[in-house]
């Protein structure tokens, strides 16, 4: 039986269901090419362009249905499955919930004592919630405020923003405050961009719903402040911006190697920055440290680390380093980064129909609204690349197996003026003659020794007088090179160039030796070691600081534990 369908050409069915057939055979054909998939006794024939037109129409119809449904689901009941009534919690406390005209009230009692109060309101597309925890004396021990906007947005492009703030108190005194913001932009690619793989399709319904593509972008910022005796002792800030193009399989079967109900990143870029500042009891800066990391779409990576130390407000030491390289092959940005930023799993994102930005943030709002640590958990884990992926993976993702450059500067100051400076660099570049190196027993490089990269390292020391004027300088610069001898055999040499300037006179010398750089320079990795030590200290302090968010604490115990109070 053949049935004409507008826009599709002819859809031919050959049914054998009456004779025991159990499915539909779909045959997809076009000029010069045809594809057939078998699931039973019926056969459908359709052109590829016709099929894609049908997929687009179904995509648009599903999007319209999703948008219509979203407008009717903005309520405490539909979003969080809440209802008015009284329940007994697992801890034995009584919880009284009341919902009326979009307003929420949840009271938790330990006997007759109020231990937790939650109030909220939904107005338009914005949800606001306040939670307070009380100590045994009835005083506020912790308060959390949150707002989620963008719940009423629908269509192919949506935005939602979640903001939160929390305060901790000890004996009625503020000891810690935290605030963060998570912004999410979602854009479903135009139906015209959809290009279903008709060769691997199992049925038309699967083609219409399985593969989707989305542009997704998150911006997360967080600030944590600690106080002692009413004075600020620690101020920390982090920010991460992520943008990705995602391909999502929203069907029950694998498509093109993408597992069912999963998403993958086709491209993306990410930037991360963090800083921590410590203050003395007079409110003056003791130390200010920062770390930044940027990863581009092509895998290029830049890291920066800097720290300054002060004594009674006066600068005494400053260090700064820059790493430029690339992400190792096979370790590029993946969808886990995006999912961890939102605090959701693969199956929560790859649902049957694409979700709006508001729906994605609402999925975890019930927990994130009362847990300031929600987006910052598992900092000590070694999987994933989420908001604190840089904190977890610093060393493992600083790639020195490909061309890179790294510099480290260490300065000391006296009476506010520069007294000394040390600059160390190291790096590697592609060996242009690597393809010519060949085996020569006892005469030169072997195949196993043929270097793909040529290393470089330099060290500079400078001294300054009491006026901040340079009085002496010395530099040694080493770099590897490949040298061809008269027999056509290639050898690895290291060129060392030294210069010095000062009151004792100037000097300049160049030496070449047939040895690898590492064999000549015992401090060839000094820049890397210095960079890692400083970055690890900064990121380690941030790890320890943000892990205190899930602990009400007493006073500034964690600050004292870090030697900051």
């Amino acid at each position: 039986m053949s049935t004409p369908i507008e826009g599709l050409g002819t859809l031919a069915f050959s049914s054998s269901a009456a004779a025991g057939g159990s499915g539909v055979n779909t045959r997809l054909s076009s000029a010069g090419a045809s594809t057939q998939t078998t699931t039973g006794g019926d056969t459908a024939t359709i052109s590829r362009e016709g099929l894609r037109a049908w997929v687009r129409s179904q995509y648009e119809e599903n999007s319209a249905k999703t948008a219509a449904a979203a407008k009717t689901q903005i309520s405490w009941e539909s979003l969080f499955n809440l209802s008015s009534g009284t329940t007994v919690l697992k801890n034995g406390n009584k919880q009284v919930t009341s919902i009326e005209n979009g307003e929420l009230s949840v009271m938790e009692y330990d006997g007759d004592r109020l231990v937790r109060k939650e109030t909220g309101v939904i107005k338009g597309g914005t949800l606001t919630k306040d939670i307070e925890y009380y100590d045994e004396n009835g005083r506020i021990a912790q308060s959390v405020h949150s707002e989620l906007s963008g719940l009423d947005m629908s269509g192919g492009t949506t935005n939602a923003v979640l903001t939160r703030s929390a305060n901790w108190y000890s004996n009625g005194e503020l000891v810690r405050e935290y605030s963060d913001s998570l912004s999410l932009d979602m854009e479903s690619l135009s139906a015209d961009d959809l290009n279903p793989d008709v060769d691997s399709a199992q049925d038309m319904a699967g083609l219409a719903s399985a593969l989707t593509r989305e542009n997704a972008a998150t911006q997360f910022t967080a600030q944590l402040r600690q106080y002692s005796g009413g004075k600020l002792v620690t101020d920390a800030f982090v920010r991460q911006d992520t943008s990705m193009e995602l391909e999502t399989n929203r069907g029950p079967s694998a498509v093109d190697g993408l597992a069912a109900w999963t998403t993958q990143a086709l491209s993306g870029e990410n930037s991360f920055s963090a800083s921590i500042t410590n203050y003395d009891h007079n409110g003056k800066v003791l130390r200010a440290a920062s770390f930044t990391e940027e990863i581009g779409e092509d895998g290029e990576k830049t890291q920066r680390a800097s720290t300054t130390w002060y004594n009674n407000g006066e600068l005494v030491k400053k260090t700064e380093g820059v790493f430029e390289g690339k992400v190792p092959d096979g370790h590029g940005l993946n969808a886990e980064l995006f999912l961890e930023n939102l605090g959701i799993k693969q199956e929560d994102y790859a649902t049957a129909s694409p979700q709006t930005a508001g729906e994605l943030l609402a999925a975890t709002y019930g927990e994130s609204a009362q847990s300031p640590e929600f987006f910052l958990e598992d900092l000590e884990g070694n999987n994933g690349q989420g908001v604190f992926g840089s904190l977890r993976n610093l060393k493992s993702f600083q790639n020195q197996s490909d061309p890179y450059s790294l510099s480290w500067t260490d300065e000391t100051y006296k009476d506010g003026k520069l007294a000394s400076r040390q600059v160390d660099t190291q790096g590697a570049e592609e060996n242009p003659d690597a393809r010519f190196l060949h085996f020569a027993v006892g005469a030169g490089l072997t195949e196993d020794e043929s270097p793909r990269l040529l290393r470089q390292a330099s060290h500079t020391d400078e001294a300054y007088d009491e006026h901040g004027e340079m009085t002496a300088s010395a530099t040694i610069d080493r770099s590897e090179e490949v040298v061809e001898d008269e027999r056509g055999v290639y050898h690895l040499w290291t060129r060392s160039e030294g210069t010095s300037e000062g009151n004792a006179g100037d000097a300049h010398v160049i030496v070449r030796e047939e040895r690898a750089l590492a064999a000549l320079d015992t401090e060839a990795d000094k820049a890397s070691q210095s960079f890692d030590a400083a970055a690890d200290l900064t990121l380690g302090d941030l790890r320890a600081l943000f892990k205190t968010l899930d602990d009400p604490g007493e006073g500034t115990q964690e600050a004292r534990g870090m030697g900051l109070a």
Side-chain angles (χ1 to χ4, degrees):
M1 177 179 65
S2 297
T3 304
I5 300 179
E6 183 178 356
L8 298 185
T10 300
L11 183 63
F13 289 103
S14 173
S15 177
S16 57
S22 58
V24 175
N25 295 330
T26 305
R27 185 171 65 252
L28 310 173
S29 65
S30 64
S34 63
T35 302
Q36 180 171 325
T37 57
T38 302
T39 58
D42 295 337
T43 301
T45 303
I46 185 174
S47 70
R48 291 174 184 268
E49 290 306 316
L51 176 67
R52 292 190 174 101
W54 183 80
V55 168
R56 288 195 293 268
S57 69
Q58 294 300 299
Y59 180 87
E60 292 163 356
E61 181 180 339
N62 290 340
S63 298
K65 290 179 180 179
T66 301
K71 293 183 178 181
T72 63
Q73 294 179 352
I74 304 177
S75 68
W76 297 106
E77 294 86 350
S78 62
L79 288 175
F80 309 109
N81 197 30
L82 295 175
S83 60
S84 298
T86 301
T87 59
V88 177
L89 304 177
K90 292 182 179 180
N91 60 7
N93 291 351
K94 181 178 66 175
Q95 179 175 284
V96 181
T97 302
S98 175
I99 301 175
E100 185 176 359
N101 297 326
E103 295 187 1
L104 171 73
S105 172
V106 181
M107 304 293 183
E108 182 180 336
Y109 298 89
D110 180 3
D112 295 329
R113 182 172 65 89
L114 180 65
V115 296
R116 181 181 183 275
K117 180 175 72 173
E118 177 179 340
T119 58
V121 61
I122 296 177
K123 187 175 182 180
T126 300
L127 183 156
T128 304
K129 184 183 287 188
D130 288 280
I131 301 175
E132 294 179 343
Y133 299 86
Y134 302 91
D135 62 20
E136 294 182 353
N137 297 316
R139 291 176 299 194
I140 296 178
Q142 180 184 358
S143 63
V144 183
H145 174 81
S146 62
E147 293 185 12
L148 174 59
S149 63
L151 292 174
D152 58 345
M153 294 191 69
S154 61
T157 302
T158 58
N159 166 264
V161 179
L162 170 63
T163 59
R164 308 182 306 163
S165 61
N167 295 324
W168 288 259
Y169 302 86
S170 179
N171 298 320
E173 181 180 283
L174 178 67
V175 294
R176 187 190 308 138
E177 59 181 353
Y178 172 79
S179 61
D180 68 17
S181 172
L182 176 60
S183 175
L184 172 62
D185 290 286
M186 295 297 302
E187 178 188 14
S188 295
L189 296 187
S190 168
D192 292 334
D193 295 330
L194 297 178
N195 187 28
D197 180 8
V198 296
D199 293 327
S200 62
Q202 297 298 310
D203 55 51
M204 296 181 71
L207 282 169
S209 61
L211 287 183
T212 63
R213 288 192 181 183
E214 304 87 36
N215 286 330
T218 61
Q219 181 185 98
F220 177 82
T221 62
Q223 184 171 30
L224 176 61
R225 291 179 171 178
Q226 289 187 322
Y227 298 86
S228 177
K231 295 182 179 180
L232 180 65
V233 294
T234 307
D235 189 358
F237 180 82
V238 297
R239 172 171 174 165
Q240 177 150 302
D241 294 80
T242 304
S243 61
M244 288 186 172
E245 180 182 350
L246 302 172
E247 182 177 55
T248 307
N249 182 1
R250 302 183 183 277
S253 303
V255 179
D256 290 345
L258 183 58
W261 315 116
T262 60
T263 188
Q264 65 181 356
L266 301 179
S267 63
E269 54 187 11
N270 183 72
S271 65
F272 171 83
S273 62
S275 64
I276 183 170
T277 304
N278 309 122
Y279 300 85
D280 62 21
H281 293 291
N282 295 318
K284 296 180 179 180
V285 176
L286 282 173
R287 184 189 67 155
S290 66
F291 174 82
T292 66
E293 177 181 80
E294 296 180 357
I295 300 177
E297 286 192 0
D298 296 329
E300 64 276 13
K301 168 183 278 193
T302 301
Q303 291 181 339
R304 291 181 172 85
S306 66
T307 308
T308 53
W309 288 264
Y310 300 83
N311 181 22
N312 197 30
E314 184 176 276
L315 177 64
V316 295
K317 184 178 176 64
K318 179 180 180 180
T319 61
E320 184 176 15
V322 179
F323 170 88
E324 293 182 326
K326 61 175 293 187
V327 176
D329 291 340
H331 292 81
L333 299 177
N334 58 50
E336 292 302 322
L337 186 153
F338 169 71
L339 297 176
E340 288 187 15
N341 286 352
L342 300 183
I344 63 177
K345 299 178 180 179
Q346 285 274 2
E347 56 269 25
D348 299 324
Y349 178 79
T351 51
S353 298
Q355 300 175 76
T356 66
E359 289 172 325
L360 288 168
L361 291 188
T364 57
Y365 181 75
E367 184 176 356
S368 65
Q370 62 182 344
S371 305
E373 75 281 2
F374 181 78
F375 295 108
L376 308 172
E377 293 178 312
D378 288 335
L379 298 187
E380 299 298 335
N382 55 11
N383 61 331
Q385 307 173 323
V387 171
F388 279 80
S390 297
L391 303 192
R392 296 188 298 238
N393 301 323
L394 173 64
K395 286 188 175 180
S396 63
F397 277 84
Q398 189 180 82
N399 177 27
Q400 296 182 14
S401 298
D402 291 300
Y404 77 98
S405 65
L406 177 60
S407 65
W408 182 257
T409 302
D410 189 328
E411 298 176 340
T412 60
Y413 291 78
K414 184 177 181 180
D415 298 328
K417 292 184 173 61
L418 181 63
S420 68
R421 176 189 289 133
Q422 291 183 328
V423 181
D424 298 288
T425 72
Q426 67 184 75
E429 59 183 20
E430 292 282 358
N431 176 14
D433 296 319
R435 61 186 181 277
F436 298 120
L437 299 180
H438 61 272
F439 185 85
V441 177
L445 295 170
T446 69
E447 289 178 331
D448 291 336
E449 294 172 337
S450 302
R452 182 177 69 87
L453 300 176
L454 298 177
R455 308 285 173 176
Q456 172 275 332
S458 70
H459 312 283
T460 298
D461 289 282
E462 299 172 349
Y464 295 78
D465 61 19
E466 65 274 13
H467 304 293
E469 299 293 333
M470 187 172 67
T471 59
S473 172
T475 299
I476 180 72
D477 191 339
R478 293 186 173 95
S479 58
E480 293 179 336
E481 56 187 24
V482 174
V483 179
E484 181 183 8
D485 65 17
E486 65 278 1
R487 297 169 300 165
V489 177
Y490 289 84
H491 303 256
L492 180 65
W493 288 65
T494 296
R495 179 184 185 275
S496 302
E497 180 176 4
T499 59
S500 64
E501 300 177 2
N503 296 332
D506 299 343
H508 179 237
V509 62
I510 297 177
V511 177
R512 284 184 170 87
E513 300 178 70
E514 191 177 354
R515 301 173 67 186
L517 185 149
L520 293 173
D521 190 347
T522 58
E523 295 187 325
D525 293 323
K526 185 177 180 180
S528 177
Q529 294 169 357
S530 300
F531 187 101
D532 285 350
D536 285 351
L537 178 62
T538 298
L539 298 174
D541 284 353
L542 283 164
R543 270 196 296 261
L545 190 63
F546 281 101
K547 280 176 67 67
T548 66
L549 289 176
D550 59 354
D551 179 14
E554 290 293 339
T556 55
Q557 178 178 357
E558 50 276 1
R560 290 194 296 272
M562 295 171 62
L564 305 179

